Amino acid sequence: MSVPTEELKLQIVNAATGKTLSAKAAPGADGALVVRDFPEGGPSPEQWQLIPAQDEAYVIRNAATGTVLDDPAAADRGVRQWTAAAGRSGQRWHLVPVEGEAGLYFIEGVTDDAVLDLADPGDDETRIVLREYDEDAESQRWRFVPAEPERISDPVLRWAPLSHWNGRRSWRLAETAALRPAPDAAPSFSDMLLVLERFGSDRDAGGWKSVGADRCPSGQPAGWAGLGARFLADTGGAGRADIVGLKPAKGAVTSSSRGDGTFDDDERVLHPPAPSPSPGDLWTLVDTTGDGRPDVVVLGADGVRMARQDEDGGTFTPAGGEPVLKAFGHDEEAGGWIADKHPRFLADTTGDGRLDIVGFHDDGVWVSLQDEEGKFAPLAEEPVLKAFGHDEKSGGWAADKHPRFLADTTGDGRLDIVGFHDDGVWVSLQDEEGKFADPLYVLDAFGVDQGWSSADEHPRFLIRTTDDDDAADIVGFGPQGVVIARGRGDGTFEPAKLVLNDFGTAQRWTSGKHLRFLADVTGDGKPDIVGFGDEGVWVSHNRGDGQFEQAQLVCRGFGYNDDAGSWRVDHHPRFLADITGDGRVDIIGFGGPGVYVARNLFRRFRTR
């Protein structure tokens, strides 16, 4: 687990006993500390905060009393909680990760490098002492467990029967287990509304079922979609998102946004099926040339096919003829690219405003640059970088475990390669000539060895989180919550910090039930956290300083629970997109009966 920030409250648990660091049941004047059990219904364990100090050390402060973990240098090496004293070295501690044990730390004093240990592990209340480091002593290993998140919502009130002694019945309002947004939730969204009885999984709504979707976890239209998929894209360059669906027989069909939160009733064919369509084809709609109009791009069997939109908008060049690039396709002649092994991206790698094609194959990274005429260069005989590939010789990168991204980590306008392997984060910088340097290991976090078990369970993003950033930061949904590593602007990152005790597997968020995105829901230019949870949609607002507020329930819908709509990840795609053109993202979901919308109401009635 990454080191929590000072604002998070946490319990400190001993790995050998499972007991919690605390004062004695009957605290004494000496402030001695022990580990002990806390039965249900009794007093709660002490909660601590980690306060950064000099020399990469921390002061460990009791969140309730303000006293701190202290080494009094006593003969018995006992540790206590004591009044904080500025500059006192006995109150500063290093947190040293246990090698090969995700989430475990040694707590080491800065004065003599002794570590926290248990005096007599068998006692009910075992005293805490300092001892010499022993790599085999499990009693010297500690786990930080963040407190339960303090979410903001209100209980739903319902009429409940009330019986009387004389047989009469009356009714009263009673709280239920269901939740609803608090009246002052910000941002706020409208109630979930069915706006179109099409594009749903029910038979009457079209019987839509995704076959081969390979979307990026952010849910943005720059990801790839397979047959049967539904997504949002600005199909005509009007500044608002339309519905797009991929039908095996018809190709790409659309229902245009009316600009008021609803969509046209009729489906219009946007682009016919690609020549010789295959279930392995992947589609997207994205502006590849920077002219403001989206193009249809298909990764077909024989390579990359593209249909550009005309200047009038809404009409695409006819399909047929040769692919624009005989590569990146799933036939052997086009490279034998497999969706669940070989990630492919459309990205402006050079900063010239045109999208290039980048793929990660078995033997490394392949790139096709787009020129000023919109043509893609043939692939070279060798990959541009013999790394980040699926084969062991190029790193043994698995798509389901090791996400890879293209992001500007230096602020020079060129995209670098960032990958998350077992041991942490690797970066390959792109120079002014477009060459990628050999990968460098830059951060021991966000990897499988640190508890980030899969790309689905623990989504990771490269994105600017503050106004003063020129380079991308890493944001991830880890085992204990939301973790951020700020980019330094030189291709490296600051140490990872746990900034929010929510949206992680410890708070019961799982990829099989919940969706988690980063999106600017308030229009302030900074990404917020949006989670589709059990009770509905939760938003944690970005404060702009690398921190996030506690999550607020903003919409009682689109959630996993029955009273939130019974939405399922594998049946009901959900997106955040601006369907009105007002600059704020709305919530759109494809349910059984059709398309549901919750409008973004943030600042709608405020004067500037």
Side-chain angles (χ1 to χ4, degrees):
M1 185 188 79
S2 303
V3 176
T5 63
E6 61 183 284
E7 296 186 358
L8 292 188
K9 301 174 183 177
L10 55 135
Q11 298 172 22
I12 302 178
V13 180
N14 184 260
T17 63
K19 297 181 179 182
T20 306
L21 177 68
S22 182
K24 297 178 180 178
D30 59 356
L33 288 168
V34 299
V35 292
R36 63 188 181 97
D37 290 322
F38 287 83
E40 290 188 14
S44 299
E46 264 94 343
Q47 293 183 353
W48 305 83
Q49 293 171 298
L50 305 180
I51 313 301
Q54 63 191 54
D55 300 327
E56 297 184 352
Y58 292 85
V59 172
I60 303 177
R61 182 177 65 191
N62 188 306
T65 65
T67 56
V68 300
L69 200 67
D70 181 82
D71 171 17
D76 62 359
R77 300 309 317 268
V79 178
R80 64 182 181 178
Q81 55 179 331
W82 207 249
T83 303
R88 176 172 164 76
S89 60
Q91 295 180 352
R92 299 200 305 273
W93 308 87
H94 289 131
L95 306 181
V96 183
V98 178
E99 186 175 354
E101 294 287 346
L104 293 180
Y105 290 84
F106 297 105
I107 302 177
E108 177 187 83
V110 301
T111 53
D112 58 2
D113 297 335
V115 298
L116 258 60
D117 202 347
L118 306 183
D120 301 298
D123 292 351
D124 290 338
E125 292 191 355
T126 304
R127 291 180 60 248
I128 306 300
V129 297
L130 285 165
R131 286 204 175 109
E132 290 186 3
Y133 164 74
D134 180 357
E135 65 177 5
D136 297 321
E138 191 176 5
S139 59
Q140 294 182 357
R141 304 178 183 188
W142 301 86
R143 187 184 310 277
F144 299 110
V145 181
E148 286 294 313
E150 300 173 0
R151 299 171 178 164
I152 301 172
S153 62
D154 281 349
V156 172
L157 299 178
R158 290 182 180 150
W159 291 104
L162 186 64
S163 300
H164 299 275
W165 63 271
N166 58 4
R168 291 185 177 182
R169 301 187 71 185
S170 60
W171 300 82
R172 65 181 177 87
L173 285 172
E175 294 184 358
T176 69
L179 300 176
R180 64 181 178 86
D184 58 348
S188 61
F189 287 80
S190 68
D191 291 335
M192 187 177 70
L193 180 66
L194 179 64
V195 299
L196 184 63
E197 294 182 1
R198 291 178 180 269
F199 297 97
S201 56
D202 292 351
R203 178 175 297 181
D204 293 341
W208 287 77
K209 182 180 180 181
S210 298
V211 177
D214 186 27
R215 290 188 297 105
C216 60
S218 67
Q220 299 303 311
W224 302 103
L227 294 178
R230 293 143 288 169
F231 55 93
L232 278 295
D234 181 1
T235 63
R240 54 180 184 263
D242 309 308
I243 295 170
V244 178
L246 302 178
K247 283 190 171 181
K250 289 187 175 181
V253 299
T254 184
S255 179
S256 298
S257 171
R258 293 171 174 162
D260 59 357
T262 66
F263 300 89
D264 289 343
D265 292 332
D266 297 329
E267 295 177 8
R268 175 172 57 89
V269 176
L270 191 67
H271 189 279
S276 303
S278 165
D281 292 350
L282 297 176
W283 293 60
T284 193
L285 265 76
V286 63
D287 178 10
T288 63
T289 60
D291 62 1
R293 298 188 300 273
D295 310 302
V296 174
V297 184
V298 181
L299 298 179
D302 54 356
V304 181
R305 291 185 174 270
M306 184 172 297
R308 301 193 189 277
Q309 192 171 174
D310 61 22
E311 295 182 359
D312 296 333
T315 303
F316 289 84
T317 54
E322 294 293 317
V324 297
L325 184 63
K326 293 182 179 180
F328 298 107
H330 43 273
D331 277 358
E332 287 300 323
E333 294 79 4
W337 293 75
I338 302 173
D340 57 3
K341 287 178 62 177
H342 308 133
R344 285 154 286 178
F345 297 87
L346 286 169
D348 178 10
T349 63
T350 61
D352 62 1
R354 296 183 297 273
L355 300 189
D356 312 303
I357 305 175
V358 182
F360 297 83
H361 208 286
D362 293 334
D363 51 358
V365 184
W366 295 81
V367 176
S368 173
L369 298 179
Q370 183 183 182
D371 63 21
E372 295 180 357
E373 297 179 356
K375 296 180 180 180
F376 290 90
L379 296 187
E381 295 183 359
E382 296 286 334
V384 299
L385 184 65
K386 293 182 178 180
F388 297 104
H390 184 80
D391 286 348
E392 289 298 325
K393 289 183 179 179
S394 57
W397 293 75
D400 60 341
K401 295 170 60 177
H402 308 132
R404 283 148 284 178
F405 295 88
L406 297 166
D408 182 4
T409 65
T410 61
D412 64 357
R414 289 181 172 270
L415 299 186
D416 312 302
I417 300 171
V418 182
F420 301 84
H421 210 284
D422 291 341
D423 51 358
V425 183
W426 291 78
V427 172
S428 172
L429 298 178
Q430 183 184 182
D431 63 21
E432 295 180 355
E433 298 179 355
K435 295 181 180 179
F436 290 93
D438 290 338
L440 294 176
Y441 180 62
V442 298
L443 191 64
D444 58 345
F446 299 102
V448 175
D449 293 346
Q450 293 88 32
W452 300 68
S453 58
S454 72
D456 286 338
E457 201 65 63
H458 301 296
R460 277 145 280 185
F461 300 83
L462 271 294
I463 192 170
R464 289 177 55 189
T465 61
T466 65
D467 291 333
D468 56 358
D469 280 347
D470 289 327
D473 309 313
I474 301 173
V475 182
F477 297 93
Q480 296 292 339
V482 180
V483 179
I484 290 183
R486 296 282 298 277
R488 292 188 171 120
D490 59 358
T492 66
F493 298 88
E494 296 178 3
K497 298 288 185 181
L498 179 66
V499 299
L500 187 65
N501 57 334
D502 208 343
F503 299 104
T505 50
Q507 294 84 29
R508 297 174 291 280
W509 289 78
T510 67
S511 61
K513 295 172 62 176
H514 309 123
L515 300 173
R516 288 156 290 179
F517 300 147
L518 290 176
D520 178 12
V521 297
T522 61
D524 63 358
K526 295 181 287 292
D528 308 299
I529 298 169
V530 183
F532 292 79
D534 291 333
E535 307 87 353
V537 182
W538 294 85
V539 169
S540 179
H541 183 59
N542 187 338
R543 296 197 323 214
D545 58 355
Q547 303 293 322
F548 290 84
E549 298 174 356
Q550 293 291 340
Q552 299 186 82
L553 184 64
V554 299
C555 182
R556 187 173 165 241
F558 303 101
Y560 186 86
N561 289 349
D562 291 345
D563 53 24
S566 299
W567 292 72
R568 298 295 182 262
V569 169
D570 54 350
H571 286 89
H572 307 132
R574 282 151 285 176
F575 298 89
L576 297 163
D578 180 8
I579 61 173
T580 63
D582 64 359
R584 295 184 293 271
V585 294
D586 309 291
I587 304 170
I588 304 95
F590 297 89
V595 181
Y596 290 83
V597 167
R599 295 276 301 277
N600 190 333
L601 305 178
F602 182 67
R603 300 182 69 176
R604 187 175 300 278
F605 303 110
R606 287 185 59 179
T607 57
R608 295 184 180 272

